[in-house]
């Protein structure tokens, strides 16, 4: 099972570990595309703070993020699962998983990123600011920049098992499973049961809890239908939208009564 996660806008400070070693990151087929984004991002932030703030969409209160980006090559690092601190990752709470669940998470979880493309939660990275929605002056829109490298690398990473897609739309734009991989891909929406509306905060929190439940249970669903069964056994209320034909992904609606 491969679980595709968004990153988070909120991030922990860079750690005290060794600086970034790009060659140590998972998915080495993305190395050249990563280098291109890293080089331009560091150069932009070092050369022109006003331009960098505009490109990155930063308010006055977030100007410190620009200085952080200038130090990406020398700052300390932490595992990506510790760098990302948003609602989904708080609910997932990787640090509190038992040893077996942590091993499953290390194998299964892949966090997408405007800067890195995608990384394992165990990959050591510095704190940074660069969302997938950014359009760099030289490289253009990052979603488009990542499509070809991702298309070359991700099908092999997905292997022959289930792909559970929990990404937001901006990050889903960087890689859309196709063909046979799409047929064993399931995307999840979390809906407030009485209204059938998506509410951002509990949508993210519930997705984090779903991943945690799967890691703790040791369930290894082989495809979307088996995922539905596993989630129902774990106590989730799941409705299924059947795929629209060959080469199409499944959509699962997880219904939650309480917003928390």
């Amino acid at each position: 099972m491969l679980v595709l996660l968004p990153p988070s806008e909120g991030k922990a400070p860079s750690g005290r570990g060794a600086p970034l070693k790009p060659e140590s990151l998972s998915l080495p087929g993305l190395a050249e595309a990563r280098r291109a984004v890293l080089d331009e991002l560091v150069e932009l932030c070092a050369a022109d703070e006003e331009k960098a703030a505009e490109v990155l969409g930063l308010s006055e209160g977030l100007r410190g993020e620009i200085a952080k980006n200038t130090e990406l090559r020398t700052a300390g690092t932490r595992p990506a699962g510790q760098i990302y601190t948003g609602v989904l990752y708080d609910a997932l709470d990787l640090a509190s998983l038992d040893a077996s669940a942590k091993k499953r998470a290390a194998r299964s979880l892949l966090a997408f990123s405007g800067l890195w493309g995608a990384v394992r939660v165990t990959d050591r990275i510095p704190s940074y600011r660069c969302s997938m929605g950014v359009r760099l002056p030289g490289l253009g829109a990052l979603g488009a920049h990542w499509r070809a490298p991702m298309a070359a690398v991700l099908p092999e990473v997905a292997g022959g098992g289930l792909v559970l897609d929990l990404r937001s739309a901006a990050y889903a734009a960087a890689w859309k499973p196709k063909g046979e991989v799409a047929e064993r891909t399931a995307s999840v929406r979390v809906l407030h049961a009485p209204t059938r509306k998506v509410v951002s905060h509990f949508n993210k929190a519930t997705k984090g809890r779903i991943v945690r439940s799967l890691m703790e249970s040791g369930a290894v669903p082989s495809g979307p239908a088996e995922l539905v069964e596993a989630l129902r056994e774990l106590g989730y209320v799941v409705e299924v939208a059947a795929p629209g034909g060959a080469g199409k992904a499944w959509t699962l609606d997880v219904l939650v009564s309480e917003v928390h």
Side-chain angles (χ1 to χ4, degrees):
M1 177 171 60
L2 181 67
V3 182
L4 311 181
L5 301 174
S8 64
E9 290 295 334
K11 297 177 181 67
S14 295
R16 296 183 178 180
L20 175 70
K21 296 180 180 178
E23 69 279 3
S24 73
L25 298 179
S26 302
L27 283 61
L30 300 179
E32 184 176 346
R34 286 172 177 152
R35 188 180 308 112
V37 181
L38 179 63
D39 287 348
E40 183 169 354
L41 182 62
V42 171
E43 181 178 351
L44 170 68
C45 291
D48 189 335
E49 183 175 314
E50 292 298 324
K51 181 66 173 178
E54 177 186 347
V55 169
L56 298 175
L58 299 179
S59 66
E60 191 64 33
L62 292 173
R63 287 296 184 97
E65 301 292 282
I66 298 171
K68 179 193 296 185
N69 282 349
T70 67
E71 300 171 351
L72 287 172
R73 295 191 181 92
T74 58
T77 56
R78 300 176 189 263
Q82 295 178 20
I83 287 288
Y84 298 130
T85 59
V87 172
L88 186 155
Y89 290 87
D90 287 347
L92 171 54
D93 195 7
L94 286 164
S96 69
L97 292 174
D98 64 32
S100 296
K102 284 180 179 176
K103 288 180 180 178
R104 286 189 284 274
R107 292 193 304 266
S108 302
L109 306 188
L110 199 64
F112 275 59
S113 162
L115 174 53
W116 313 114
V119 291
R120 301 284 186 186
V121 292
T122 50
D123 284 335
R124 298 190 68 91
I125 57 174
S127 189
Y128 68 96
R129 186 76 175 210
C130 186
S131 70
M132 191 65 80
V134 163
R135 179 182 292 271
L136 291 175
L139 291 177
L142 291 180
H145 170 75
W146 285 111
R147 281 186 200 124
M150 291 285 192
V153 171
L154 266 293
E156 182 177 352
V157 176
L162 169 71
V163 178
L164 173 55
D165 191 353
L166 302 178
R167 298 172 295 167
S168 56
Y171 290 90
W175 181 58
K176 183 178 181 180
K178 295 181 179 180
E180 180 268 335
V181 179
E183 292 174 1
R184 47 187 168 83
T185 297
S187 62
V188 170
R189 299 188 307 173
V190 180
L191 304 181
H192 187 210
T195 64
R196 288 301 199 275
K197 291 182 179 180
V198 174
V199 181
S200 178
H201 180 90
F202 89 92
N203 171 56
K204 295 175 183 177
T206 302
K207 286 179 177 179
R209 295 186 192 107
I210 286 171
V211 177
R212 183 179 179 88
S213 296
L214 290 170
M215 297 302 105
E216 288 181 321
S217 71
V220 188
S222 57
E226 292 76 15
L227 173 64
V228 172
E229 293 179 9
L231 291 177
R232 287 172 175 166
E233 288 177 2
L234 290 167
Y236 293 95
V237 178
V238 184
E239 294 180 350
V240 183
K248 301 293 184 180
W250 292 48
T251 299
L252 311 184
D253 288 341
V254 175
L255 306 182
V256 181
S257 297
E258 297 181 4
V259 178
H260 61 90

